[in-house]
Amino acid sequence: MLEITKSTTMNANFNSDDGKQIAYFSASVSGTGNGNNLSMTIYDQELYDANKEAVRAAKVEFDKYVYGVEDEESAEKDVAKGKTK
């Protein structure tokens, strides 16, 4: 039996004004809802410390985007199963 599972991967970089990478955000959303993850990697601790508020605000924005994708995936899964809200 063929079982196809859709997954979505999202990545973002947060850079300083002069282009130096400060942090990297990544997320994956599985079609099943199991195994979703969000992560942040800090590449330059000194730049992160100097830009902490901006990096954290960007992470919140990234997380909201990912949550929107999760919600879309859940809605698609519900429609495929014949569920509606």
Side-chain angles (χ1 to χ4, degrees):
M1 167 176 33
L2 176 65
E3 185 176 326
I4 299 173
T5 303
K6 177 182 170 184
S7 66
T8 304
T9 303
M10 293 144 283
N11 303 299
N13 291 310
F14 188 89
N15 301 320
S16 64
D17 290 338
D18 62 357
K20 292 182 182 174
Q21 188 174 18
I22 299 172
Y24 172 79
F25 311 131
S26 65
S28 63
V29 176
S30 75
T32 64
N34 297 322
N36 294 354
N37 72 61
L38 287 146
S39 68
M40 177 175 84
T41 303
I42 297 169
Y43 283 106
D44 188 315
Q45 187 65 49
E46 189 174 309
L47 282 174
Y48 173 77
D49 290 341
N51 295 279
K52 198 176 287 189
E53 287 183 30
V55 174
R56 289 177 177 172
K59 178 68 165 69
V60 168
E61 183 180 341
F62 181 77
D63 290 351
K64 286 180 181 177
Y65 180 84
V66 173
Y67 298 148
V69 171
E70 284 179 339
D71 293 345
E72 289 173 11
E73 295 280 333
S74 291
E76 287 176 14
K77 188 169 67 172
D78 288 346
V79 168
K81 288 184 177 181
K83 296 179 185 177
T84 57
K85 294 187 179 187

